[in-house]
Amino acid sequence: MDSTSDIKKRRRTARLVLLFALPLAGCTYAVPMNTVVPDFGIPNKVPLRATILIPERVHNYVVKGNPHGYGASVQTFEFPLGAELEKASLQAFGQVFQQVHVVRRRPRPNEVEVLVEPEITSFQFWFDFIGPAVSKIRLKVTITDGTVRVLTRETESPEERSMLGIFGFDLGIPQGDAASKALVSALREIASEATRSPELWKLAEKVRMAK
C-alpha cells in the first residue's frame, strides 16, 4: 500500500505534467516584454547629444519561432525584439550620454554630435526541461560622429533564465522576462565600455571646442 508521501509526490508530478502539457497544443504566444533597464552605476556621462538610429525595419523586427528542446515542435513564440531594443537603448544610452533621442532615418552628419546604431544579430530561446525559460541575445552597436566610426562593439549576453509565471498557462511570460534580461545584459556591457572609450571622450572635447 502506498504511503501518504508517495501519493503526494505522484500528485505533484501530475500537476507539473498538466501545467506544462496544457499550453503545448500548438499555440502561438505573443510574448509580453517590458524591458526595464536598471541603473548601471555609470559615474560620468559623456557630454554629447546622442542620436539613436532605429529604422522602421529594426523597430518592426519580430522573432517568430519555436524553442529548442522541450515542446519545440508545437510551440510558437513571437518576440517584439525591435520595439524592445528601441525602448531599452533609450534607457541604456541615456545613462551614457547627456541627451538621447531616436530617429527613423539616417541624419546628415552635420545634424548629429554622435550617432548610435544598435542591432540584434542573433537570438536564441528555449526551456530547460521542466524548468526555466532561457534566452541568449547577440547585440551589435556602432557609434560614429555621423561619418567616422568611433566605436563598434558586438557582444553576446549570458544565458538568462526566468521562472516568472512558469507554472501558469502562458509560457510567453517567462520567455519575455528571460529575453528582456538578456537584452539588458548585452546593453550593460556595451554601455559600460562606451563610457570608458577614449575616442568618445575625444569626440566630446572636439564638439565642445567647435561650439
Side-chain angles (χ1 to χ4, degrees), residues 63-139:
V63 169
K64 182 176 180 179
N66 306 109
H68 304 293
Y70 184 69
S73 62
V74 291
Q75 293 172 293
T76 300
F77 292 79
E78 290 183 357
F79 294 82
L81 290 182
E84 291 300 306
L85 175 64
E86 177 177 332
K87 180 171 66 176
S89 293
L90 277 168
Q91 297 175 59
F93 290 107
Q95 300 183 45
V96 175
F97 300 104
Q98 274 191 338
Q99 297 179 32
V100 292
H101 70 281
V102 168
V103 296
R104 294 281 182 251
R105 296 182 179 180
R106 184 175 297 278
R108 292 190 293 271
N110 62 355
E111 294 176 334
V112 300
E113 291 184 356
V114 63
L115 184 66
V116 180
E117 300 179 57
E119 182 180 6
I120 295 169
T121 57
S122 71
F123 175 67
Q124 298 174 6
F125 68 101
W126 64 95
F127 286 98
D128 283 351
F129 183 69
I130 310 186
V134 189
S135 285
K136 184 167 63 173
I137 198 166
R138 191 168 187 86
L139 189 65

Side-chain angles (χ1 to χ4, degrees), residues 18-205:
L18 178 63
L19 286 168
F20 277 91
L22 283 176
L24 300 181
C27 295
T28 297
Y29 296 98
V31 176
M33 293 182 67
N34 184 26
T35 306
V36 177
V37 176
D39 184 356
F40 291 158
I42 295 172
N44 297 306
K45 292 186 178 183
V46 181
L48 288 168
R49 294 192 295 269
T51 301
I52 303 176
L53 178 60
I54 306 284
E56 288 292 338
R57 66 172 181 82
V58 175
H59 175 77
N60 295 327
Y61 177 56
V62 173
V63 169
K64 182 176 180 179
N66 306 109
H68 304 293
Y70 184 69
S73 62
V74 291
Q75 293 172 293
T76 300
F77 292 79
E78 290 183 357
F79 294 82
L81 290 182
E84 291 300 306
L85 175 64
E86 177 177 332
K87 180 171 66 176
S89 293
L90 277 168
Q91 297 175 59
F93 290 107
Q95 300 183 45
V96 175
F97 300 104
Q98 274 191 338
Q99 297 179 32
V100 292
H101 70 281
V102 168
V103 296
R104 294 281 182 251
R105 296 182 179 180
R106 184 175 297 278
R108 292 190 293 271
N110 62 355
E111 294 176 334
V112 300
E113 291 184 356
V114 63
L115 184 66
V116 180
E117 300 179 57
E119 182 180 6
I120 295 169
T121 57
S122 71
F123 175 67
Q124 298 174 6
F125 68 101
W126 64 95
F127 286 98
D128 283 351
F129 183 69
I130 310 186
V134 189
S135 285
K136 184 167 63 173
I137 198 166
R138 191 168 187 86
L139 189 65
K140 180 180 179 181
V141 174
T142 302
I143 300 176
T144 71
D145 65 359
T147 304
V148 178
R149 185 175 299 176
V150 178
L151 176 69
T152 298
R153 183 74 168 91
E154 187 166 2
T155 188
E156 187 172 71
S157 73
E159 294 179 359
E160 295 288 354
R161 288 168 164 76
S162 176
M163 291 289 288
L164 183 66
I166 197 72
F167 295 115
F169 295 106
D170 187 350
L171 294 181
I173 292 174
Q175 281 293 354
D177 188 47
S180 290
K181 288 178 179 178
L183 181 56
V184 169
S185 291
L187 282 169
R188 178 186 289 109
E189 184 172 337
I190 293 174
S192 297
E193 182 170 331
T195 58
R196 298 192 301 268
S197 169
E199 289 77 14
L200 265 182
W201 288 96
K202 288 177 184 176
L203 175 60
E205 180 63 16

